[in-house]
Short mmCIF file of all heavy atoms in Angstrom, two decimals:
data_model
loop_
_atom_site.label_atom_id
_atom_site.label_comp_id
_atom_site.label_asym_id
_atom_site.label_seq_id
_atom_site.Cartn_x
_atom_site.Cartn_y
_atom_site.Cartn_z
N PRO A 1339 -50.46 12.60 -26.50
CA PRO A 1339 -49.85 11.98 -27.67
C PRO A 1339 -48.84 10.88 -27.30
O PRO A 1339 -47.91 11.20 -26.52
CB PRO A 1339 -49.20 13.13 -28.42
CG PRO A 1339 -48.86 14.14 -27.32
CD PRO A 1339 -49.93 13.97 -26.28
N VAL A 1340 -49.02 9.63 -27.79
CA VAL A 1340 -48.09 8.55 -27.45
C VAL A 1340 -47.86 7.75 -28.78
O VAL A 1340 -48.71 7.86 -29.71
CB VAL A 1340 -48.69 7.56 -26.39
CG1 VAL A 1340 -48.70 8.21 -25.06
CG2 VAL A 1340 -50.07 7.05 -26.78
N PRO A 1341 -46.71 7.04 -28.83
CA PRO A 1341 -46.52 6.15 -30.01
C PRO A 1341 -47.66 5.09 -30.11
O PRO A 1341 -48.29 4.84 -29.08
CB PRO A 1341 -45.21 5.48 -29.73
CG PRO A 1341 -44.57 6.33 -28.64
CD PRO A 1341 -45.69 6.94 -27.88
N GLN A 1342 -47.96 4.60 -31.31
CA GLN A 1342 -48.93 3.51 -31.40
C GLN A 1342 -48.47 2.30 -30.72
O GLN A 1342 -47.21 2.04 -30.78
CB GLN A 1342 -49.22 3.23 -32.88
CG GLN A 1342 -49.79 4.44 -33.63
CD GLN A 1342 -50.30 3.97 -34.95
OE1 GLN A 1342 -51.15 3.16 -35.09
NE2 GLN A 1342 -49.76 4.60 -35.94
N PHE A 1343 -49.30 1.52 -30.09
CA PHE A 1343 -48.78 0.41 -29.24
C PHE A 1343 -49.88 -0.64 -29.16
O PHE A 1343 -51.04 -0.32 -29.35
CB PHE A 1343 -48.38 0.96 -27.84
CG PHE A 1343 -49.60 1.38 -27.10
CD1 PHE A 1343 -50.23 0.57 -26.14
CD2 PHE A 1343 -50.14 2.66 -27.26
CE1 PHE A 1343 -51.32 1.04 -25.43
CE2 PHE A 1343 -51.25 3.11 -26.55
CZ PHE A 1343 -51.85 2.28 -25.67
N PHE A 1344 -49.52 -1.85 -28.84
CA PHE A 1344 -50.45 -2.85 -28.38
C PHE A 1344 -49.81 -3.93 -27.53
O PHE A 1344 -48.52 -4.09 -27.56
CB PHE A 1344 -51.17 -3.47 -29.61
CG PHE A 1344 -50.19 -4.17 -30.61
CD1 PHE A 1344 -49.82 -5.41 -30.47
CD2 PHE A 1344 -49.80 -3.42 -31.74
CE1 PHE A 1344 -48.99 -5.99 -31.38
CE2 PHE A 1344 -48.97 -3.98 -32.62
CZ PHE A 1344 -48.54 -5.31 -32.46
N ALA A 1345 -50.58 -4.57 -26.71
CA ALA A 1345 -50.09 -5.62 -25.87
C ALA A 1345 -49.99 -6.86 -26.70
O ALA A 1345 -50.71 -7.12 -27.60
CB ALA A 1345 -51.08 -5.85 -24.73
N ILE A 1346 -48.90 -7.70 -26.33
CA ILE A 1346 -48.83 -8.98 -27.05
C ILE A 1346 -49.57 -10.06 -26.20
O ILE A 1346 -49.24 -10.21 -25.08
CB ILE A 1346 -47.33 -9.41 -27.08
CG1 ILE A 1346 -46.53 -8.35 -27.89
CG2 ILE A 1346 -47.21 -10.82 -27.73
CD1 ILE A 1346 -45.08 -8.68 -28.07
N GLU A 1347 -50.60 -10.68 -26.83
CA GLU A 1347 -51.24 -11.73 -26.12
C GLU A 1347 -50.60 -13.03 -26.56
O GLU A 1347 -50.01 -13.73 -25.75
CB GLU A 1347 -52.79 -11.71 -26.31
CG GLU A 1347 -53.42 -10.76 -25.36
CD GLU A 1347 -54.33 -9.78 -26.06
OE1 GLU A 1347 -54.87 -10.08 -27.04
OE2 GLU A 1347 -54.49 -8.67 -25.50
N GLN A 1348 -50.66 -13.29 -27.88
CA GLN A 1348 -50.02 -14.47 -28.35
C GLN A 1348 -49.32 -14.08 -29.66
O GLN A 1348 -49.91 -13.42 -30.56
CB GLN A 1348 -51.01 -15.53 -28.66
CG GLN A 1348 -51.37 -16.40 -27.41
CD GLN A 1348 -52.16 -17.58 -27.83
OE1 GLN A 1348 -53.15 -17.43 -28.55
NE2 GLN A 1348 -51.76 -18.71 -27.38
N LEU A 1349 -48.07 -14.54 -29.72
CA LEU A 1349 -47.25 -14.12 -30.92
C LEU A 1349 -47.92 -14.37 -32.25
O LEU A 1349 -47.85 -13.64 -33.15
CB LEU A 1349 -45.90 -14.79 -30.81
CG LEU A 1349 -44.85 -14.36 -31.79
CD1 LEU A 1349 -44.53 -12.80 -31.57
CD2 LEU A 1349 -43.58 -15.13 -31.64
N LYS A 1350 -48.55 -15.60 -32.26
CA LYS A 1350 -49.16 -15.95 -33.55
C LYS A 1350 -50.24 -15.07 -34.05
O LYS A 1350 -50.56 -15.03 -35.22
CB LYS A 1350 -49.56 -17.44 -33.62
CG LYS A 1350 -50.65 -17.83 -32.53
CD LYS A 1350 -50.91 -19.38 -32.70
CE LYS A 1350 -52.05 -19.91 -31.95
NZ LYS A 1350 -52.28 -19.59 -30.63
N ASN A 1351 -50.81 -14.33 -33.08
CA ASN A 1351 -51.91 -13.43 -33.46
C ASN A 1351 -51.55 -11.99 -33.82
O ASN A 1351 -52.39 -11.20 -34.00
CB ASN A 1351 -52.94 -13.29 -32.24
CG ASN A 1351 -53.60 -14.69 -32.01
OD1 ASN A 1351 -53.57 -15.53 -32.87
ND2 ASN A 1351 -54.02 -14.90 -30.79
N ILE A 1352 -50.28 -11.71 -33.76
CA ILE A 1352 -49.92 -10.32 -33.87
C ILE A 1352 -49.22 -9.90 -35.26
O ILE A 1352 -48.89 -8.79 -35.46
CB ILE A 1352 -48.94 -9.87 -32.74
CG1 ILE A 1352 -47.64 -10.70 -32.88
CG2 ILE A 1352 -49.63 -9.88 -31.42
CD1 ILE A 1352 -46.59 -10.06 -31.98
N LYS A 1353 -49.10 -10.95 -36.12
CA LYS A 1353 -48.39 -10.66 -37.37
C LYS A 1353 -48.97 -9.48 -38.10
O LYS A 1353 -48.17 -8.54 -38.51
CB LYS A 1353 -48.33 -11.92 -38.23
CG LYS A 1353 -47.18 -11.88 -39.24
CD LYS A 1353 -46.75 -13.25 -39.65
CE LYS A 1353 -45.42 -13.00 -40.46
NZ LYS A 1353 -44.79 -14.23 -40.94
N SER A 1354 -50.26 -9.43 -38.23
CA SER A 1354 -50.88 -8.31 -39.02
C SER A 1354 -50.60 -6.97 -38.29
O SER A 1354 -50.46 -5.98 -38.93
CB SER A 1354 -52.41 -8.60 -39.26
OG SER A 1354 -53.01 -8.68 -37.99
N LYS A 1355 -50.75 -7.04 -36.98
CA LYS A 1355 -50.52 -5.72 -36.24
C LYS A 1355 -49.12 -5.21 -36.32
O LYS A 1355 -48.87 -4.05 -36.57
CB LYS A 1355 -50.81 -5.99 -34.72
CG LYS A 1355 -52.29 -6.16 -34.42
CD LYS A 1355 -52.47 -6.27 -32.97
CE LYS A 1355 -53.92 -6.43 -32.55
NZ LYS A 1355 -54.05 -6.76 -31.14
#
Side-chain angles (χ1 to χ4, degrees):
V1340 290
Q1342 297 193 59
F1343 67 98
F1344 58 85
I1346 300 182
E1347 274 128 32
Q1348 274 190 313
L1349 190 61
K1350 60 181 188 316
N1351 296 337
I1352 61 168
K1353 202 153 189 178
S1354 63
K1355 289 183 176 171

